[in-house]
Amino acid sequence: MSDLKSDRVSVRRLRERGAYDSKSIYAILDEGKVCHVGFNVDDQPYVIPMAYARVDNKLILHGSVLSRLMNKLAGGVNVCVTVTLVDGMVLARSAFHHSMNYRSVVVLGKAIPIIKASEKAQALNALVDHLIPGRSKASRPGSKQELKATHVMALEISEASAKVRSGDPKDDKEDMQTDYWAGIIPMATAYGAPRPAADLKMSIPLPDFSQLL
Amino acid sequence: MSDLKSDRVSVRRLRERGAYDSKSIYAILDEGKVCHVGFNVDDQPYVIPMAYARVDNKLILHGSVLSRLMNKLAGGVNVCVTVTLVDGMVLARSAFHHSMNYRSVVVLGKAIPIIKASEKAQALNALVDHLIPGRSKASRPGSKQELKATHVMALEISEASAKVRSGDPKDDKEDMQTDYWAGIIPMATAYGAPRPAADLKMSIPLPDFSQLL
């Protein structure tokens, strides 16, 4: 377990919500499926949703070699990758103390292109398996051309923080005897029943997705 | 319905996924609950999750006057606000064509502080009501001090795009006769049963959250 704190990633407001150990940070990264990647073009920030995976102390990102984002990243610009899990609405007696329960991670750094074909293939397998456990072995592996058409980037998780809010609303003393309802409405990502593609061969049975669902 | 396209927000890759009309963009913004706000400090992008609401052609953001993000925004920096709804995993026969179904919106611009107390209060009510329909009238309204402690910002939705992927995987012809399963695993945000705060007065009944749940 390593400490990933820096001044730049320190939680300034509500410091008790911050965590900087790799264990807390990895747990959030491993649960999320989509990250939001921030990068600059001419002092204009852009924030783009992407799939990702964590492999050891690295975040794997990928995209077409034709993508602007991927070419920016490959050029070694500063990025911020944020993963947010929303756990619920927090309803306080006062409008002011309404909040959300969430777990989020911010990772700062520069992504480095993975060049070697075997390492690219391995990283892409990790990405598919992060989204759907075991899926890399249950689909047709990437070809040489497909690997060539894909930028794969690794962002070292060396400067990062987690921010977590959990539990009940925190109302002011004066409001505790009011008649407003207070509590939590839980939220989570739900997976529906897998739906075969319209053109799937009839003879192919539904795989076991129990690790995901 | 207005056209919010600019060169900066144009979808470059897979152009058929882009939309620039306010109707498509508002529909996504109105369904989301959390946005990711991108801003720069010393050429380092930061991406922070926040609650938001849409009011007419504006996005409302808020936060403590002590928050760095809020003070940055109030200073008139360029921001990017991204809202992403994840609709499902797309499992193709080939690892390469795996994808996700999603609807996302990117809004670029500068946020402008709302100063007038009555307008601030109105914007904050919209924010609470966006998260939980009707809630602003079912909680104790903000006090003068609470309003003073809160920065409320409006970002005009004048330069924005939506990007949408939906439907089945698109495999290569050569893969159509393989025996790999292909299809969709739907994903959505699920709300759990509301849970009263541990210190809630026993006499207070559970409100009707049917508009949310």
Side-chain angles (χ1 to χ4, degrees):
Chain A
M1 206 166 90
S2 52
D3 181 358
L4 306 176
K5 190 170 181 171
S6 76
D7 185 53
R8 301 197 303 176
V9 294
S10 295
V11 173
R12 286 136 208 268
R13 289 250 320 131
L14 309 171
R15 281 160 200 256
E16 71 281 6
R17 293 190 188 171
Y20 306 93
D21 61 286
S22 52
K23 197 182 161 195
S24 305
I25 288 167
Y26 290 179
I28 294 167
L29 294 175
D30 291 351
E31 190 173 328
K33 300 287 187 189
V34 172
C35 66
H36 281 80
V37 180
F39 64 102
N40 281 326
V41 180
D42 300 333
D43 200 42
Q44 171 64 55
Y46 291 83
V47 176
I48 305 293
M50 297 188 70
Y52 72 93
R54 180 183 70 84
V55 176
D56 302 326
N57 68 336
K58 292 186 176 64
L59 279 184
I60 305 297
L61 303 171
H62 84 305
S64 164
V65 292
L66 302 175
S67 126
R68 177 178 69 162
L69 167 52
M70 277 297 126
N71 284 302
K72 272 277 155 196
L73 294 193
V77 297
N78 293 324
V79 297
C80 174
V81 176
T82 299
V83 172
T84 305
L85 308 171
V86 178
D87 293 327
M89 307 274 190
V90 180
L91 284 68
R93 293 148 183 98
S94 64
F96 183 74
H97 283 297
H98 275 64
S99 186
M100 297 185 94
N101 281 337
Y102 63 90
R103 290 163 289 152
S104 67
V105 162
V106 166
V107 182
L108 303 185
K110 292 186 208 294
I112 290 170
I114 300 179
I115 304 296
K116 213 179 152 189
S118 61
E119 289 174 16
K120 274 175 94 167
Q122 213 174 356
L124 289 173
N125 284 346
L127 214 143
V128 169
D129 287 335
H130 174 65
L131 294 179
I132 307 126
R135 183 67 189 169
S136 72
K137 286 188 180 136
S139 51
R140 196 263 294 155
S143 68
K144 263 188 193 169
Q145 283 91 328
E146 287 170 347
L147 275 181
K148 258 193 198 165
T150 310
H151 265 319
V152 185
M153 317 280 308
L155 171 65
E156 203 185 307
I157 309 168
S158 55
E159 188 177 358
S161 60
K163 199 173 174 189
V164 175
R165 194 216 183 276
S166 62
D168 273 355
K170 287 179 185 138
D171 270 300
D172 297 334
K173 240 188 187 169
E174 309 85 86
D175 291 323
M176 295 303 289
Q177 290 309 313
T178 58
D179 285 329
Y180 299 112
W181 189 85
I184 302 290
I185 302 179
M187 293 167 73
T189 298
Y191 295 90
R195 189 170 54 67
D199 53 13
L200 187 69
K201 275 173 32 183
M202 294 281 283
S203 57
I204 300 177
L206 188 70
D208 174 16
F209 291 119
S210 56
Q211 269 194 280
L212 180 69
L213 313 174
Chain B
M1 207 166 90
S2 52
D3 182 357
L4 306 176
K5 189 169 181 171
S6 76
D7 185 54
R8 301 196 304 175
V9 295
S10 294
V11 173
R12 286 138 207 267
R13 288 250 320 130
L14 308 172
R15 281 158 201 256
E16 71 281 6
R17 293 190 187 170
Y20 306 94
D21 61 287
S22 52
K23 197 181 162 196
S24 305
I25 288 167
Y26 290 178
I28 295 168
L29 294 174
D30 291 350
E31 189 172 329
K33 299 290 187 189
V34 171
C35 66
H36 282 80
V37 180
F39 64 103
N40 281 326
V41 180
D42 300 334
D43 200 42
Q44 171 65 53
Y46 291 82
V47 177
I48 306 293
M50 296 189 70
Y52 72 93
R54 180 184 70 85
V55 176
D56 302 325
N57 68 336
K58 292 186 175 63
L59 279 184
I60 305 297
L61 302 171
H62 85 303
S64 165
V65 293
L66 301 175
S67 126
R68 177 178 69 162
L69 167 53
M70 278 296 126
N71 285 302
K72 272 278 154 195
L73 293 194
V77 296
N78 294 323
V79 296
C80 174
V81 176
T82 299
V83 172
T84 305
L85 308 172
V86 178
D87 294 326
M89 306 276 189
V90 180
L91 284 69
R93 293 148 182 97
S94 65
F96 183 74
H97 282 297
H98 277 63
S99 187
M100 297 186 94
N101 280 338
Y102 62 91
R103 290 164 288 152
S104 67
V105 162
V106 165
V107 182
L108 303 185
K110 292 185 208 294
I112 290 171
I114 300 178
I115 304 295
K116 213 179 152 190
S118 61
E119 288 173 17
K120 274 175 92 166
Q122 214 174 353
L124 290 173
N125 285 346
L127 214 143
V128 169
D129 287 334
H130 174 65
L131 294 178
I132 307 125
R135 183 67 189 171
S136 71
K137 284 185 180 139
S139 52
R140 195 263 294 154
S143 68
K144 266 188 191 168
Q145 283 93 328
E146 288 170 346
L147 275 181
K148 260 194 196 164
T150 310
H151 266 319
V152 186
M153 316 280 309
L155 170 64
E156 202 185 308
I157 308 167
S158 54
E159 187 177 358
S161 60
K163 199 173 173 190
V164 174
R165 193 216 183 277
S166 62
D168 273 356
K170 287 178 184 139
D171 269 301
D172 296 333
K173 240 187 187 170
E174 310 85 88
D175 291 323
M176 294 304 289
Q177 290 309 313
T178 59
D179 284 329
Y180 299 112
W181 189 85
I184 302 288
I185 302 179
M187 293 168 73
T189 298
Y191 294 91
R195 189 171 53 67
D199 54 12
L200 187 68
K201 275 174 31 182
M202 294 281 283
S203 57
I204 300 177
L206 188 70
D208 175 14
F209 291 119
S210 56
Q211 270 193 279
L212 180 69
L213 314 173

